[in-house]
């Protein structure tokens, strides 16, 4: 074989080696990019999106990573932080919308809910009633037996009012407040005052019957720490649309 032929073979061989080397580098780069994207870039993007959601109050569930590296640790920390923030937010909302003593919806929830229930009653052509209860001589309980006993009595009053209604009808948690699942709401308005919203009524007399039932229950004695306490209530009742068409 002459020199020119040898140089030709060597040139082809070198070209082949160069092409193969370039292909190996390209394939390695693609594989490396896929691995880095899957293990680092995409998780970091997910974490960045989660951080933005958390900062804006959107506390969606973050899937915890099973990997044992630093990114897996970050995922687990973000998931735990989001869960804790969501729990704290729910607790704050509960405090804002529910009475801390009785667990019943408070005055804020009452006025927010009644407005929406009025709209629903207007749409469904149904009646809505508000029954307002003011305990009689409650001050005497606080003065004679102490505020702790007064608080205990208020808790039992709230329970008795609830027991006069079906659980399926009651709006009793935040999800039901937001979605209006249920037609009735019992609220502690403050002090010794309670209010009851009854919606989706077909007859005026339905509200009167419930008010009488509750008054009868409140007239029965309360047994609190060996004390037998008798306490009644004064009541007022208003109907929508007969007596008004606004929450106030």
């Amino acid at each position: 074989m002459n020199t020119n032929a040898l140089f030709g073979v060597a040139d082809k061989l070198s070209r082949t080696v160069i092409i193969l080397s370039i292909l190996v580098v390209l394939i390695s780069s693609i594989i490396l990019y896929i691995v880095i994207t899957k293990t680092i870039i995409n998780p970091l993007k997910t974490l960045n999106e989660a951080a933005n959601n958390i900062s804006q109050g959107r506390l969606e569930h973050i899937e915890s990573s099973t990997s044992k590296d630093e990114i897996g640790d970050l995922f687990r920390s973000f998931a735990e932080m989001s869960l804790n923030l969501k729990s704290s937010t729910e607790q704050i909302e509960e405090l804002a919308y529910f009475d801390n003593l009785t667990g019943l919806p408070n005055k804020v929830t009452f006025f927010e809910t009644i407005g929406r229930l009025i709209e629903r009653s207007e749409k469904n052509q149904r009646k809505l009633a508000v029954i307002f209860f003011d305990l009689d001589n409650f001050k005497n309980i606080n003065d004679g037996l102490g505020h702790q006993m007064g608080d205990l009595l208020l808790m039992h009053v709230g329970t008795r009012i609830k027991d006069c209604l079906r659980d399926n009808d009651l709006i009793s948690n935040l999800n039901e407040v937001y979605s209006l699942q249920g037609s009735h709401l019992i609220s502690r308005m403050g002090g010794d005052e309670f209010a009851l919203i009854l919606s989706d009524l077909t007859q005026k007399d339905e509200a009167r019957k419930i008010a009488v039932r509750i008054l009868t229950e409140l007239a029965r004695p309360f047994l609190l720490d060996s004390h037998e306490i008798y306490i009644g209530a004064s009541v007022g009742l208003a109907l929508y649309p007969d007596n008004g068409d606004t929450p106030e």
Side-chain angles (χ1 to χ4, degrees):
M1 185 179 290
N2 58 37
T3 304
N4 289 334
L6 286 173
F7 275 116
V9 171
D11 184 57
K12 288 181 179 180
L13 184 61
S14 63
R15 288 175 183 272
T16 302
V17 170
I18 291 171
I19 291 172
L20 288 174
S21 299
I22 292 172
L23 288 174
V24 168
V25 171
L26 284 174
I27 293 171
S28 300
S29 298
I30 292 171
I31 293 173
L32 183 61
Y33 175 78
I34 292 172
V35 170
I36 291 175
T37 300
K38 184 177 180 180
T39 60
I40 299 177
I41 295 176
N42 286 343
L44 287 177
K45 285 182 178 178
T46 302
L47 285 174
N48 182 58
E49 183 180 349
N52 288 333
N53 287 335
I54 290 173
S55 68
Q56 296 173 23
R58 298 194 299 269
L59 304 176
E60 292 89 352
H61 176 66
I62 300 173
E63 290 291 340
S64 183
S65 174
T66 57
S67 63
K68 304 297 184 181
D69 56 12
E70 288 80 1
I71 291 180
D73 291 338
L74 274 174
F75 259 98
R76 286 183 284 276
S77 297
F78 267 77
E80 185 176 353
M81 180 171 63
S82 179
L83 189 63
N84 290 337
L85 283 173
K86 186 174 182 180
S87 176
S88 299
T89 300
E90 289 173 351
Q91 290 176 11
I92 291 171
E93 287 182 338
E94 288 284 346
L95 290 173
Y97 287 95
F98 288 82
D99 176 51
N100 189 43
L101 178 64
T102 63
L104 296 173
N106 60 18
K107 190 174 183 177
V108 173
T109 309
F110 175 87
F111 277 104
E112 285 192 7
T113 306
I114 190 175
R116 295 163 64 200
L117 287 175
I118 285 175
E119 291 177 1
R120 190 170 75 180
S121 296
E122 181 180 12
K123 181 179 178 180
N124 297 337
Q125 295 297 300
R126 297 289 184 92
K127 292 187 178 295
L128 177 145
V130 174
I131 306 174
F132 193 88
F133 297 93
D134 186 355
L135 301 183
D136 296 333
N137 304 314
F138 179 73
K139 184 176 182 297
N140 295 338
I141 304 296
N142 275 336
D143 292 344
L145 299 176
H147 288 277
Q148 186 174 357
M149 190 67 71
D151 288 346
L152 188 60
L153 176 61
L154 290 172
M155 293 167 63
H156 281 267
V157 167
T159 300
R160 282 202 186 175
I161 296 175
K162 285 179 66 175
D163 289 344
C164 290
L165 300 163
R166 293 180 303 185
D167 287 340
N168 291 341
D169 293 332
L170 287 175
I171 298 172
S172 55
N173 59 57
L174 274 180
N175 288 334
E176 292 173 352
V177 168
Y178 293 145
S179 61
L180 287 188
Q181 295 176 15
S183 54
H184 305 340
L185 182 136
I186 303 168
S187 171
R188 184 188 174 204
M189 303 297 280
D192 61 349
E193 298 173 343
F194 294 81
L196 173 60
I197 306 171
L198 304 171
S199 67
D200 294 341
L201 302 178
T202 56
Q203 298 178 356
K204 296 180 181 180
D205 204 42
E206 291 180 68
R208 184 193 64 80
K209 289 179 180 178
I210 291 175
V212 170
R213 188 189 312 158
I214 293 173
L215 286 175
T216 302
E217 285 298 310
L218 294 181
R220 292 192 302 107
F222 291 86
L223 186 61
L224 307 176
D225 289 347
S226 73
H227 295 280
E228 194 174 65
I229 299 173
Y230 288 85
I231 188 165
S234 301
V235 62
L237 190 152
L239 286 170
Y240 165 86
D242 306 57
N243 306 125
D245 56 7
T246 66
E248 291 74 15

